[in-house]
């Protein structure tokens, strides 16, 4: 009897640190959207698990995880680019997990392929389209209804686009490489450089503003930046969004390029259970609706219906998106960067 009591006490002591740990997770996040605050606080409210957040960009997070190695305090990772998710998986920075909730919710093409232990290294929780915006006073929709057309000499001095090496562009160009082949992709990239209105600078919002101000005739942006301007409380932002037309390119061929933001459990997570709980929360209808309405992205979980007026206005309801294995786009990154160096796309 005594022995049993002692054993129980020892067991209780042994589980104490684990219980304390359960109350917090360390999150490394590349999501740079202020509206996500509500997402995190809702999780804490629902589960009692506190989130300690470290913000950085995708590259910064990967570098940090590598430097920290097994001593890393990270439990959960959120990245905003498919190629980077793939890279981190290949580099062994994620802990593949088994969750029937996530497997049922997230379509197979929006998550990592099963790993050797049968687990999944990462899941996509939202998608965004990379679209073309244009000055409605200068051009028509049909002028820019395919990415290929951005290299047309008629846009000489008209194109605004952020740095070619930014993950959003590396993924788009890596996808182009899959669709039209390496040779044509490099010729196309050279065409983009020849058409630039200015050296690449700023983020996607700056390119939209460039079109609205008349400095650029055409530009490339992720959809949520435009949706944010359309729904802004600032009348100037709304007026600028009003001045630009938007095209979901390649509707009559392979479809518009999509990127995915996703999450994973860190390879050396000290609280993997809390981390899985957080990822499962991200696939819940409440969190998915938050992605859709807070940051104007498309939810990935099956059966989640959204009602976002800006996204609806942009697409007219639906559009054709490309279907590519994310690993293929990821593997093209280095090749594409070499092309960019050759054609002088900074
Ligand atoms: Fe972004």
């Amino acid at each position: 009897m005594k022995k049993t009591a002692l054993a129980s006490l020892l067991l209780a002591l042994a589980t104490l640190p684990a219980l304390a740990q359960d109350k917090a997770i360390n999150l490394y996040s590349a999501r740079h959207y202020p509206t996500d605050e509500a997402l995190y606080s809702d999780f804490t409210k629902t589960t009692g698990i506190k989130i300690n957040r470290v913000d950085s960009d995708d590259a910064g997070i990967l570098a940090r995880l590598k430097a920290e190695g097994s001593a890393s305090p990270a439990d959960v990772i959120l990245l905003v680019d498919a190629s980077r998710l793939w890279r981190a998986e290949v580099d062994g920075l994620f802990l593949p997990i088994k969750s029937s909730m996530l497997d049922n919710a997230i379509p197979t093409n929006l998550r990592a392929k099963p790993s050797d232990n049968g687990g999944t290294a990462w899941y996509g929780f939202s998608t965004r389209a990379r679209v073309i915006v244009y000055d409605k006073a200068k051009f028509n929709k049909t002028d820019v209804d395919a990415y290929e057309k951005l290299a047309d000499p008629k846009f000489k001095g008209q194109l605004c686009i952020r740095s070619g090496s930014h993950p959003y562009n590396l993924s788009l160009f890596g996808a182009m490489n899959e669709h039209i082949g390496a040779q044509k992709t490099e010729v196309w990239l050279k065409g983009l450089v020849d058409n630039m209105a200015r050296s690449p600078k700023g983020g996607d919002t700056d390119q939209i503003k460039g079109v609205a101000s008349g400095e650029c005739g055409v530009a490339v942006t992720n959809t949520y930046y435009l949706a944010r301007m359309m729904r802004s409380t600032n009348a100037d932002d709304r007026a600028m969004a009003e001045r630009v037309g938007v095209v979901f390119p390649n509707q009559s061929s392979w479809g518009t390029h999509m990127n995915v933001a996703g999450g994973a459990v860190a390879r050396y997570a000290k609280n993997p259970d809390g981390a899985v709980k957080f990822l499962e929360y991200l696939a819940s209808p409440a969190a998915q609706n938050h992605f859709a309405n807070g940051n104007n992205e498309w939810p990935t979980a099956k059966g989640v219906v959204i009602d976002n007026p800006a996204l609806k206005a942009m697409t007219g309801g639906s559009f054709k998106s490309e279907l590519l294995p994310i690993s293929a786009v990821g593997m093209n990154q280095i090749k594409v960067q070499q092309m960019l160096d050759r054609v002088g796309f900074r």
Side-chain angles (χ1 to χ4, degrees):
M1 188 69 191
K2 244 184 192 170
K3 216 174 185 180
T4 317
L6 183 65
S8 316
L9 180 67
L10 285 174
L11 184 69
L13 284 173
T15 52
L16 256 184
L19 285 175
Q21 217 172 48
D22 273 353
K23 292 294 163 208
I25 51 170
N26 296 324
L27 166 66
Y28 286 13
S29 175
R31 292 186 62 89
H32 47 90
Y33 318 114
T35 49
D36 278 355
E37 292 297 339
L39 192 70
Y40 304 131
S41 61
D42 279 358
F43 173 73
T44 301
K45 226 180 283 169
T46 322
T47 61
I49 300 173
K50 213 178 137 253
I51 298 175
N52 304 313
R53 200 167 89 234
V54 172
D55 287 315
S56 186
D57 59 9
D58 284 352
I61 289 174
L62 299 197
R64 184 168 176 150
L65 288 171
K66 279 181 196 166
E68 290 171 342
S70 60
S72 176
D75 294 304
V76 194
I77 318 291
L78 293 181
L79 300 178
V80 294
D81 170 67
S83 300
R84 289 285 159 81
L85 284 163
W86 175 83
R87 185 76 253 168
E89 177 192 352
V90 169
D91 288 348
L93 300 176
F94 295 156
L95 179 72
I97 56 164
K98 286 177 186 167
S99 161
S100 51
M101 186 275 180
L102 288 171
D103 287 346
N104 288 332
I106 309 297
T108 46
N109 65 315
L110 293 171
R111 62 188 204 224
K113 300 243 167 328
S115 58
D116 294 343
N117 71 352
T120 301
W122 57 265
Y123 291 87
F125 293 111
S126 60
T127 61
R128 50 281 289 282
R130 197 138 183 80
V131 296
I132 298 173
V133 288
Y134 63 96
D135 184 342
K136 288 195 279 192
K138 288 188 205 158
F139 299 110
N140 296 310
K141 226 174 188 130
T142 49
D143 292 323
V144 282
D145 58 8
Y147 295 109
E148 292 94 317
K149 292 188 179 180
L150 291 175
D152 191 307
K154 86 165 155 202
F155 293 119
K156 189 151 189 72
Q158 297 289 335
L159 173 67
C160 284
I161 187 164
R162 78 192 304 167
S163 167
S165 305
H166 188 276
Y168 299 159
N169 278 339
L170 285 179
S171 288
L172 169 63
F173 303 158
M176 282 300 280
N177 186 83
E178 288 303 297
H179 296 305
I180 63 176
Q183 205 185 346
K184 281 185 181 162
T185 299
E186 186 159 341
V187 171
W188 176 69
L189 288 171
K190 175 77 171 65
L192 298 194
V193 173
D194 290 343
N195 282 346
M196 281 179 191
R198 61 187 186 197
S199 293
K201 63 169 183 182
D204 285 356
T205 302
D206 299 302
Q207 318 311 319
I208 302 170
K209 288 181 176 174
V211 173
S213 73
E215 187 183 0
C216 333
V218 289
V220 177
T221 179
N222 279 357
T223 34
Y224 56 89
Y225 293 107
L226 180 62
R228 198 182 289 167
M229 287 173 78
M230 291 165 76
R231 301 177 76 190
S232 174
T233 51
N234 181 322
D236 291 342
D237 284 347
R238 291 199 305 276
M240 278 191 277
E242 189 54 44
R243 253 173 259 144
V244 308
V246 58
V247 177
F248 282 66
N250 297 72
Q251 292 302 288
S252 56
S253 53
W254 62 77
T256 299
H257 172 66
M258 303 297 286
N259 208 328
V260 57
V265 176
R267 171 79 179 79
Y268 299 105
K270 311 297 182 278
N271 185 1
D273 293 345
V276 170
K277 263 187 205 137
F278 181 68
L279 295 184
E280 290 179 342
Y281 161 75
L282 293 184
S284 70
Q288 289 282 296
N289 261 291
H290 180 84
F291 286 131
N293 289 309
N295 194 45
N296 304 296
E297 295 173 84
W298 284 279
T300 56
K302 293 171 196 164
V304 174
V305 183
I306 60 157
D307 184 26
N308 180 313
L311 293 182
K312 203 185 267 175
M314 253 190 252
T315 62
S318 67
F319 64 97
K320 180 180 174 184
S321 55
E322 74 180 355
L323 283 175
L324 270 183
I326 281 157
S327 56
V329 176
M331 275 187 281
N332 285 340
Q333 270 201 10
I334 295 169
K335 191 198 251 182
V336 166
Q337 185 57 58
Q338 288 165 346
M339 290 182 195
L340 294 172
D341 293 343
R342 282 195 295 267
V343 302
F345 193 147
R346 281 188 288 141

